[in-house]
Amino acid sequence: MKVLVTGGSGFLGQEICRRLSARGVVTSSLGRRPSTTLERMGVRQHLGDLADTAAVSRAVAGCDAVVHNAALAGVSGPPRPYWATNVVGTRHVIEQCRAHGVRTLVHTSTASVVFRPGGLEGVTEDLPFALHHLAAYPATKARAEALVLAAHGPELATVSLRPHIIWGPGDPHFVPALAHAVRAGRLLMPGDGDNLVDTTHVRTAAHAHLLALDRLRQSPAVGGRAYFIGQGDPRPLREITRRFLRAAGIGARWCAVPPRLATAAATVSDTFLRVAGSPRTHALSRFLVAELLHPHYFDLTAARRDLGFEPPIGFEAGLAELTPLALPTPDHSKDTPCRKPTKPSAPS
């Protein structure tokens, strides 16, 4: 079996490639930069951009299945780059799968496609996409997922997975962002952090992708659907951030920013970035503040029933795998009490 993983050099992509290679699957990757990690795995690397039809065609040719994991992720930024990668790129992947006779396509979506202010508590996949997305990332990922599911049929079986907040050893995004947001032993965050949030260990997310590949090949009837993926262990955001920071070797006190102030600051930031034409994808935004303020966890029944999904590692065991980050040690002797700030310092 030959499988292409788009975005194979990324955090989740590498884990998917690692698991495929361990099975003896002939694995290749499409990405914009070469990866020494993939080279050591023996993964063939195609260099190119999803917006380049010819590059996608070369990578897809000869494959039996594609895991479309590549995407532009972020909480802010103008729509055009997101559209080019997440929508146009996905359209190219689908077209080339059809052109080269690929029978199986697994798409990495995100639970954020259904996120709306007020939060999500134990929702199922029956919940429709949000009518209004607060950022270009979830908006374009929703459009990409719709394309993938609409493409499902006898000649190309497709499925879309929705992991949420992926973390684990080597995480280059979530935990480092939290660590860098700590100032003088304080973590300024909107709200009190009591909102329940589920997360996804990188091994859990990769495991789900391989399950989806297997089930689509065995029974295409499970295709044409989206599935929430997570640990199935929602916890208060305040606890999650504290535990992650502690595992990274950082102590910090949660300092609550009033929700209205945080939302107002995010609105000002969104407006300024839009007027300035800023390309920043990880700036303070209404989307970020809304996700930090509200609950978001999901019913995993469909994935368990149709894919045979169960997280291969629990939250506590995953925490034990994390190691301290190579960051300056905070000087807690200079800690000051939490005071009402002018704007929140959130993961970015």
Side-chain angles (χ1 to χ4, degrees):
M1 185 176 177
K2 298 179 180 179
V3 178
L4 169 70
V5 180
T6 69
S9 60
F11 181 46
L12 174 58
Q14 285 187 11
E15 184 63 25
I16 294 172
C17 288
R18 184 177 294 109
R19 286 174 169 259
L20 288 171
S21 297
R23 282 186 171 190
V25 173
V26 179
T27 307
S28 58
S29 168
L30 173 62
R32 290 181 294 178
R33 289 175 291 275
S35 165
T36 55
T37 301
L38 293 183
E39 184 178 359
R40 288 193 296 268
M41 292 182 198
V43 173
R44 181 184 180 188
Q45 298 183 65
H46 300 273
L47 299 184
D49 195 288
L50 288 173
D52 182 350
T53 306
V56 176
S57 178
R58 288 191 297 269
V60 171
C63 291
D64 303 301
V66 172
V67 176
H68 180 34
N69 171 69
L72 176 60
V75 297
S76 64
R80 183 173 295 179
Y82 288 100
W83 185 270
T85 298
N86 299 344
V87 180
V88 176
T90 298
R91 186 179 294 126
H92 288 167
V93 169
I94 294 170
E95 290 171 352
Q96 295 309 313
C97 282
R98 286 174 168 158
H100 292 282
V102 173
R103 303 300 299 272
T104 307
L105 172 61
V106 175
H107 173 239
T108 309
S109 186
T110 169
S112 296
V113 297
V114 296
F115 181 78
R116 66 242 14 226
L120 305 168
E121 299 181 83
V123 299
T124 69
E125 291 82 358
D126 292 332
L127 183 70
F129 294 142
L131 292 177
H132 175 66
H133 293 95
L134 295 177
Y137 171 63
T140 54
K141 289 296 286 183
R143 177 59 179 156
E145 180 180 289
L147 290 173
V148 169
L149 299 185
H152 175 70
E155 297 178 353
L156 177 63
T158 70
V159 74
S160 190
L161 302 183
R162 296 173 174 176
H164 187 58
I165 308 181
I166 301 174
W167 60 279
D171 169 19
H173 305 299
F174 188 65
V175 176
L178 280 174
H180 284 293
V182 174
R183 296 290 183 272
R186 300 182 302 161
L187 180 65
L188 305 185
M189 295 285 272
D192 56 18
D194 288 338
N195 48 311
L196 293 179
V197 175
D198 199 11
T199 62
T200 313
H201 191 280
V202 65
R203 279 162 50 192
T204 296
H207 174 63
H209 282 73
L210 268 66
L211 285 175
L213 271 177
D214 292 342
R215 290 302 171 98
L216 273 181
R217 291 174 63 83
Q218 297 164 3
S219 176
V222 305
R225 293 197 55 176
Y227 295 94
F228 288 121
I229 301 297
Q231 294 304 120
D233 184 11
R235 297 176 178 230
L237 180 62
R238 187 168 183 164
E239 176 193 343
I240 293 171
T241 58
R242 177 178 59 83
R243 300 290 297 280
F244 281 168
L245 287 172
R246 181 182 296 172
I250 299 171
R253 293 199 309 276
W254 178 289
C255 291
V257 178
R260 287 187 178 181
L261 177 60
T263 301
T267 301
V268 171
S269 177
D270 275 342
T271 302
F272 173 79
L273 293 172
R274 183 175 65 252
V275 171
S278 171
R280 293 178 61 191
T281 58
H282 289 80
L284 179 65
S285 68
R286 290 177 300 155
F287 174 55
L288 174 62
V289 169
E291 288 222 321
L292 292 173
L293 279 173
H294 301 294
H296 30 107
Y297 59 94
F298 315 92
D299 187 330
L300 306 181
T301 300
R304 291 186 167 109
R305 180 193 65 228
D306 295 351
L307 306 180
F309 168 77
E310 285 295 338
I313 184 171
F315 184 82
E316 298 295 338
L319 277 177
E321 295 181 347
L322 299 182
T323 56
L325 298 174
L327 296 170
T329 302
D331 181 2
H332 297 296
S333 65
K334 298 180 180 178
D335 283 359
T336 55
C338 296
R339 294 190 298 268
K340 187 175 181 180
T342 56
K343 67 176 184 178
S345 294
S348 60

